[in-house]
């Protein structure tokens, strides 16, 4: 993509409403535009990151055996009355009446809709286990939306829902999602810690929040430092096998949110092992048994032919929230530092002298070679000063910068800069292509 043809409305000044780093940098980097309190338009750069995060989430859900569907944002109120949550949910639910005076709502979550889908089509235990997920926009009318996409009213969420015949099978489904989440966040460049957590209005008796540590986090968390050194399950993990040893290893060290914090147990750890910090919730998994299936009549014929109410769980990941969370965990004074897996472009190619035939030719050649090799490249071919170009590249946080100018080309050299470390290297154009293809 050529910057001269791209829409990247970066800001020099930080908007006054931005209270935390991710909100400031997303606005300054031209990733989002606020349309109303807690509601944002996603501009081209932000949308690329959002879609890359969503794709990693999707790949790991598929790997774990979940099946993707797409449920509506607008839901009938009657389904929520069946479950008993319509009047309990409170003012966070945006209630709507259509032209036929039917009561609707903008879905804050989708347990009711997915349970209705299940009960309509699944009648036998032979069709279990089943896990359905969607990546869809949700709406919760926060009383005080703040921190940009970290606590917005409209947000993109992956929500999965498992259906199983009995508790043992549903626990296995919970474990599959637990392991899938460990892998997902690791691929996003994050160290997410599963912590015992309160289930809130979702309900259930087994629940873990996945928390990334950040000074600006809204949650107080407590954990054993040993959990930071546990290995991430590999790509060849057998999700049809017994995953309980992996889950046991990750839940053995003490890790809890403030609501589930046991001070006595925590203080029994050695002083060097205790860690109290702030954290950002990026995922939450719940097992809630028959809370929804019983209320809504979701049952199957069991092996004995008798009706059996199915066991359920739900598993959420805040896809849009993760954009802010990654920035909170990975930035410096100059701007964002994207992990390569979710960076909007891998390489920022800086042409220091547009209009110069030699420099243009070299930059265009590098752009074409890298693009044909499948690397996402943003070519700055604008007339801005060199300082402005470097500042913009640092701000938007692309992992690699490839700098092309007449002085270097006179010696058949270009420069590569690694954004995360600041390391710079001078090499030939061919060597630069080889290096960027290898990383």
């Amino acid at each position: 993509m050529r910057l001269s043809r791209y829409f990247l409305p970066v800001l020099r000044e930080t908007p006054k409403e931005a209270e935390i780093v991710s909100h400031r940098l997303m606005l300054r980097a031209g990733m989002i535009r606020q349309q109303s309190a807690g509601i944002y338009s996603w501009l081209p750069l932000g949308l690329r990151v959002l879609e890359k995060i969503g794709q990693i989430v999707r790949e790991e859900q598929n790997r774990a055996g979940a099946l993707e569907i797409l449920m509506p944002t607008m839901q009938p109120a009657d389904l929520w009355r069946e479950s008993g949550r319509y009047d309990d949910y409170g003012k966070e639910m945006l209630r709507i009446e259509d032209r036929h005076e039917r009561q609707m709502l903008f879905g804050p979550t989708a347990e009711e809709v997915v349970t209705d889908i299940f009960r309509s089509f699944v009648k036998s235990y032979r069709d279990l286990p089943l896990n359905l997920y969607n990546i869809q926009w949700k709406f919760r009318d926060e009383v005080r939306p703040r921190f940009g996409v970290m606590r917005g009213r409209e947000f993109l969420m992956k929500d999965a829902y498992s259906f199983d015949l009995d508790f043992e099978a549903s626990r296995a489904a919970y474990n599959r999602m637990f392991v899938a989440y460990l892998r997902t966040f690791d691929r996003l460049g994050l160290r997410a810690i599963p912590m015992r957590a309160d289930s809130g209005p979702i309900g259930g008796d087994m629940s873990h929040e996945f928390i990334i540590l950040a000074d600006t986090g809204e949650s107080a968390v407590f954990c054993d430092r040993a959990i930071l050194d546990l290995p991430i399950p590999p790509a060849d993990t057998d999700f049809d096998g017994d995953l309980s040893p992996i889950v046991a290893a990750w839940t053995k060290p003490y890790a809890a949110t403030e609501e589930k914090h046991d001070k006595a147990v925590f203080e029994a750890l050695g002083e060097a092992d205790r860690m109290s910090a702030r954290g950002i919730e990026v995922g939450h998994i719940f097992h809630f048994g028959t809370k929804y299936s019983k209320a809504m009549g979701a049952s199957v014929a069991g092996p004995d032919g008798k009706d059996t109410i199915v066991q359920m769980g739900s598993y959420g990941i805040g896809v849009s929230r993760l954009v802010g969370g990654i920035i909170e965990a990975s930035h410096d004074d100059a701007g964002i530092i994207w992990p390569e897996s979710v960076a909007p472009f891998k390489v920022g190619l800086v042409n220091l002298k547009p209009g110069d035939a030699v420099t243009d030719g070299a930059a265009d050649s590098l752009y074409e070679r890298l693009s044909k090799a499948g690397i996402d490249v943003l070519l700055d071919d604008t007339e801005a000063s060199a300082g402005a170009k470097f500042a913009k590249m640092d701000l938007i946080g692309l992992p690699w910068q490839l700098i092309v100018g007449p002085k270097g080309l006179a010696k058949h050299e270009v420069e590569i800069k690694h954004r995360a470390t600041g390391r710079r290297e001078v090499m030939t154009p061919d060597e630069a292509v080889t290096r960027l293809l290898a990383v």
Side-chain angles (χ1 to χ4, degrees), residues 156-176:
L156 188 64
M157 178 175 159
K158 186 284 301 183
D159 43 328
Y161 305 90
S162 61
F163 300 86
D164 291 278
L165 186 64
D166 53 37
F167 177 81
E168 290 73 20
S170 65
R171 180 60 188 255
Y174 188 93
N175 289 348
R176 283 193 290 273

Side-chain angles (χ1 to χ4, degrees), residues 57 61 64 66 71 109-111 114 130-135 138 140 157-164 167 169-181 185 202 206-208 210 281-289 311-319:
V57 170
Q61 289 294 289
M71 291 180 280
T109 183
E111 280 83 358
V114 77
L130 182 64
N131 190 319
L132 302 174
Y133 79 95
N134 80 162
I135 300 176
K138 306 290 192 296
R140 294 176 188 167
M157 178 175 159
K158 186 284 301 183
D159 43 328
Y161 305 90
S162 61
F163 300 86
D164 291 278
F167 177 81
S170 65
R171 180 60 188 255
Y174 188 93
N175 289 348
R176 283 193 290 273
M177 287 293 103
F178 190 106
V179 173
Y181 275 39
F185 296 123
I202 299 294
M206 187 163 55
S207 172
H208 285 88
F210 286 75
E281 177 193 348
V282 290
H284 203 157
I285 61 176
F286 308 84
H287 174 268
F288 41 68
Q311 298 272 328
M312 291 178 59
S314 73
Y315 317 91
I317 288 180
V319 178

Side-chain angles (χ1 to χ4, degrees), residues 308-371:
T308 302
I309 301 294
V310 295
Q311 298 272 328
M312 291 178 59
S314 73
Y315 317 91
I317 288 180
V319 178
S320 55
R321 183 183 179 89
L322 271 166
V323 180
I326 291 170
I327 294 171
E328 292 291 331
S330 185
H331 68 273
D332 61 16
D333 291 342
I336 303 165
I337 304 174
W338 289 117
E340 289 200 23
S341 60
V342 298
F345 299 92
K346 179 176 180 177
V347 176
L349 176 54
V350 181
N351 181 339
L352 291 179
K353 195 173 182 181
D356 177 79
V358 174
T359 308
D360 286 347
D364 288 347
S365 174
L366 289 165
Y367 177 71
E368 291 175 9
R369 292 172 67 184
L370 291 170
S371 297

